Amino acid sequence: MVEGKDYKATEQEALAEEQREQVWQQTWAKDINLHLGKIDGLLAEGTRESRMEIKAMFSDQAFFGHYKQVDAFAAMFVIMSIYELEDAREFPATILDQADSVEGLQDIMFQFKVILYRLDFEVGQETRAELLSFIREHSVSSVWMSVMLTTSVLRPLSLALKLERIFEEEGLQQLWISILFFHEQYLPGNYRTSAKLAFICKESGQSEMAAEYQNRIPEIPSNLQAQRELIFGCQELLWKMRYKEAGAARGLVQFIKEKNLEDVLWEFLLEHSPVTDKEYYLQIADVLLDAEESDKAGIVLERALKLAPGDEMVLCLLADLAIKSGDIDAALMCLSQIENPSGFAVKFQKSCMELKERKQHE
């Protein structure tokens, strides 16, 4: 129920917002078509000078600040951001070469967004062909692609992985490399991506950058060198779980079972995991426990315990694993480490002690 004072404040805010909208309509909205007409004219000119004039309009907060909530202006702001980056890198064709009006550019951006959505959610059988056709028809740059991934898609990780595979298979080198850079910048931590970028930089003579990417991968011990591909494959699934990729947990369990993953390899991956969030490891442990991978779950929980010493949830899970393996002393040792135990933990400890006494009298 809304209290009288709260209702009054809410009503005042609504009236103030209505007043601001009226002022905006009277002062700025009347000139929307005038400004859009001016931008259309500058786009039609297509000269560097005319484009710089458009850029200046959207760089001027005294102007753009009044129109950023208008769809056409918001879209043009993104488009001009793409153009500015393309121009700086001297792309032969830019996004502004694709249409000579605001409406035309908006339409192209919408088409691209729909194709990416369809590809991401696997809608239709010809989406890959549509994407490649759009890219070639509109000279889609690596800059344009990266901006779309950061502003216009719902699942950037999932879609970027699909695009990476498509661009590599199609030999679209610049776009493929741009996806690898996208991962490193926005979704870091994938060994496979870092290794590919290290190789690309080394091949192009950029030794310092190659070393930088290579250093993002921990040194694999000699006894695990032969399992490098397994390490990369499993680590990528852990990376997907880190960024909450749909299906990653199921994929991780399947990978562990199919590859019969050794504990020493699993320990290596967790030891070098950059994630410090206890909940991440509890999620992995929960998935593994459901899949009856108790040994792997125990290793995960030990990693979580290093990050959160004395944590009740972690220690109770470790105690439960110890009991299931028949080691009641180990379970009691775990429970004794709990800081400020709850009533549940105290009862759990009491049950373990009673179980130990029964075992001793059998």
Side-chain angles (χ1 to χ4, degrees):
M1 182 177 179
V2 180
E3 301 254 343
K5 185 184 290 186
D6 292 337
Y7 178 80
K8 186 175 181 181
T10 303
E11 184 181 26
Q12 288 174 341
E13 288 172 4
L15 290 171
E17 178 59 32
E18 183 180 349
Q19 179 64 27
R20 284 193 292 271
E21 176 64 19
Q22 289 177 356
V23 170
W24 182 82
Q25 289 288 342
Q26 295 168 2
T27 309
W28 305 104
K30 59 185 178 60
D31 293 328
I32 286 178
N33 290 334
L34 177 67
H35 294 309
L36 290 176
K38 180 180 179 180
I39 295 170
D40 279 347
L42 293 169
L43 288 170
E45 284 183 35
T47 64
R48 180 170 177 76
E49 290 74 18
S50 66
R51 291 172 175 181
M52 289 300 102
E53 190 172 341
I54 299 173
K55 176 185 170 183
M57 290 175 68
F58 284 90
S59 299
D60 181 6
Q61 281 301 309
F63 166 75
F64 179 61
H66 298 297
Y67 295 104
K68 59 186 178 182
Q69 76 273 28
V70 179
D71 288 346
F73 286 87
M76 279 303 300
F77 180 80
V78 174
I79 289 165
M80 292 309 299
S81 299
I82 294 169
Y83 170 73
E84 186 174 356
L85 293 169
E86 290 176 329
D87 182 59
R89 292 172 58 178
E90 299 182 344
F91 282 97
T94 72
I95 191 169
L96 294 189
D97 293 308
Q98 308 313 312
D100 59 4
S101 69
V102 173
E103 185 177 357
L105 288 169
Q106 277 187 283
D107 182 58
I108 288 171
M109 290 287 282
F110 179 74
Q111 289 178 46
F112 198 6
K113 184 175 181 178
V114 169
I115 290 172
L116 292 176
Y117 176 89
R118 287 162 56 83
L119 181 68
D120 185 11
F121 292 95
E122 299 179 359
V123 178
Q125 298 180 346
E126 303 298 324
T127 311
R128 175 171 171 151
E130 290 175 14
L131 171 71
L132 294 171
S133 175
F134 183 92
I135 286 171
R136 292 179 176 122
E137 180 182 352
H138 296 289
S139 304
V140 173
S141 68
S142 55
V143 168
W144 187 355
M145 180 62 68
S146 294
V147 170
M148 294 298 289
L149 283 171
T150 55
T151 64
S152 304
V153 303
L154 297 175
R155 304 188 304 181
L157 187 150
S158 170
L159 181 57
L161 287 171
K162 290 179 183 178
L163 291 171
E164 179 192 345
R165 184 176 65 254
I166 291 171
F167 295 154
E168 185 173 17
E169 290 173 355
E170 295 292 333
L172 297 171
Q173 188 79 354
Q174 279 194 338
L175 288 173
W176 174 60
I177 293 174
S178 76
I179 297 297
L180 297 178
F181 279 122
F182 172 82
H183 280 319
E184 284 293 292
Q185 182 175 359
Y186 295 101
L187 303 162
N190 187 332
Y191 293 175
R192 181 184 62 80
T193 301
S194 297
K196 284 188 174 183
L197 285 171
F199 176 78
I200 291 167
C201 291
K202 185 178 179 181
E203 288 290 295
S204 62
Q206 302 176 68
S207 56
E208 288 187 11
M209 190 172 289
E212 180 184 333
Y213 286 120
Q214 189 61 46
N215 288 337
R216 298 180 185 184
I217 306 169
E219 185 176 352
I220 299 173
S222 56
N223 63 317
L224 293 177
Q225 281 289 344
Q227 301 184 71
R228 185 174 185 271
E229 292 305 313
L230 278 181
I231 289 173
F232 278 29
C234 189
Q235 193 275 333
E236 182 163 83
L237 288 163
L238 288 169
W239 170 76
K240 289 180 178 180
M241 285 197 69
R242 175 182 176 183
Y243 293 106
K244 299 177 173 56
E245 171 71 359
R250 183 173 63 255
L252 179 65
V253 169
Q254 185 178 353
F255 187 93
I256 288 172
K257 288 184 176 295
E258 287 182 357
K259 305 298 182 181
N260 196 21
L261 210 69
E262 296 178 5
D263 285 352
V264 64
L265 188 154
W266 184 239
E267 288 170 350
F268 169 78
L269 287 172
L270 293 171
E271 179 187 350
H272 292 90
S273 170
V275 182
T276 57
D277 180 10
K278 176 197 69 177
E279 298 302 322
Y280 168 75
Y281 297 99
L282 285 173
Q283 181 188 5
I284 297 172
D286 184 54
V287 168
L288 292 172
L289 289 170
D290 285 345
E292 299 182 348
E293 289 285 345
S294 299
D295 291 344
K296 297 291 188 301
I299 294 169
V300 176
L301 291 169
E302 291 291 350
R303 168 65 172 158
L305 189 60
K306 287 182 180 179
L307 296 169
D311 184 83
E312 180 172 311
M313 176 67 76
V314 175
L315 286 164
C316 282
L317 287 170
L318 282 168
D320 188 55
L321 284 176
I323 290 171
K324 288 176 179 176
S325 67
D327 194 341
I328 301 173
D329 286 335
L332 287 167
M333 179 65 72
C334 288
L335 295 172
S336 69
Q337 297 176 49
I338 297 175
E339 298 175 358
N340 303 316
S342 67
F344 169 81
V346 171
K347 288 181 181 178
F348 191 3
Q349 189 175 35
K350 183 179 179 182
S351 297
C352 287
M353 293 176 70
E354 291 172 351
L355 179 61
K356 182 178 179 179
E357 289 177 5
R358 286 199 301 272
K359 292 281 186 183
Q360 289 173 341
H361 289 91
E362 286 180 356

